[in-house]
Amino acid sequence: MSRDDDTDMQAKRRAEMLAVLRRRGIASEAVLDAMAQVPRERFVPDHLAELAYEDGALPIGDGQTISQPYIVALMTEAAGLGPESRVLEVGTGSGYSTAILSLLAGHVFSIERHDTLATAARERLEKGGYLDNVTLSVGDGTLGLPEQAPFDAIIIAAAGPRVPEALRAQLAMGGRLIMPVGSASGPQKLTCVTRDGEENFRTEDLAPVSFVPLIGAQGWQR
Ligand code: SAM
């Protein structure tokens, strides 16, 4: 297959993925438009490029995964981002959702605990031209980035036993934190926490999900 044929094929698959997301209830045109712009095949290992637009998670190394497109869309939509939003992402992984967030927000701070994944994500994001409003770091994202807080949205792409207190404290007033909460390998709920006041947090469940564990001082210990 020529490079042009391959690009056309991936564009067609991307359009089909967007149709699936719409059918599953993603209504934000801004989120769908951002997902239409990011070539997911560049964020998965080469041998899995053909599967890049299936609505599923895929392995990216170090026992980690790139999240399912529908879940990326759901979390991004729930975050309610605008062009001025400051976003903290915990779990850069492949960098795919970081790229999407960078198209919707003012600035994205993304933390990954695996050095190798963070390095590969940086290369992809740099190559794709996404780094102008993205700051990447390696470390324990359960502690957040207090020096950059407050954040209008915090998106955590790994499942913890509870919402980390450090992250709750770094939410701006009116800000939203989206994360899977539940057991490390069993049932989890995608949870949205909205900060309504200094000590006032509202919690709603969005969907049952299955994520890799959030490992850290305020996550699972390992
Ligand atoms: N959103 C990513 C993407 O688009 O590829 C997928 C993220 S993957 C499901 C979850 C990531 O969270 C993994 O890369 C894992 O190493 C990372 N992670 C787990 N605990 C973490 C922590 N405490 N701090 C930072 N990253 C963490």
Side-chain angles (χ1 to χ4, degrees), residues 5 28 43 60-62 95 124 152 162 178 188 196 213 219-220:
D5 287 345
S28 163
F43 291 84
I60 54 170
D62 280 321
R124 293 186 194 106
D152 302 299
R162 64 193 71 81
I178 322 292
Q188 302 158 1
D196 287 332
W220 299 103

Side-chain angles (χ1 to χ4, degrees), residues 60 64-67 72 89-98 111-114 117 139-142 157-158 211-216:
I60 54 170
Q64 306 303 319
T65 54
I66 179 174
S67 305
V72 172
E89 178 186 43
V90 176
T92 314
S94 67
Y96 174 66
S97 51
T98 318
I111 313 177
E112 171 56 52
R113 66 184 281 269
H114 283 286
L117 293 180
D140 179 3
T142 67
F211 270 82
V212 295
L214 178 71
I215 312 285

Side-chain angles (χ1 to χ4, degrees), residues 105-204:
H107 201 96
V108 182
F109 298 86
S110 187
I111 313 177
E112 171 56 52
R113 66 184 281 269
H114 283 286
D115 208 353
T116 45
L117 293 180
T119 301
R122 176 180 295 281
E123 278 169 19
R124 293 186 194 106
L125 290 164
E126 188 164 26
K127 214 167 167 184
Y130 299 103
L131 284 184
D132 283 355
N133 64 341
V134 171
T135 305
L136 299 172
S137 53
V138 177
D140 179 3
T142 67
L143 302 174
L145 290 175
E147 66 284 9
Q148 299 294 348
F151 298 101
D152 302 299
I154 300 179
I155 295 182
I156 303 153
R162 64 193 71 81
V163 175
E165 280 310 316
L167 297 183
R168 213 184 263 270
Q170 289 173 37
L171 261 188
M173 291 306 146
R176 295 181 194 173
L177 178 153
I178 322 292
M179 81 172 277
V181 178
S183 81
S185 57
Q188 302 158 1
K189 282 180 183 164
L190 189 61
T191 302
C192 175
V193 176
T194 306
R195 187 170 202 169
D196 287 332
E198 191 60 42
E199 298 297 332
N200 194 0
F201 296 89
R202 187 163 30 99
T203 301
E204 49 180 318

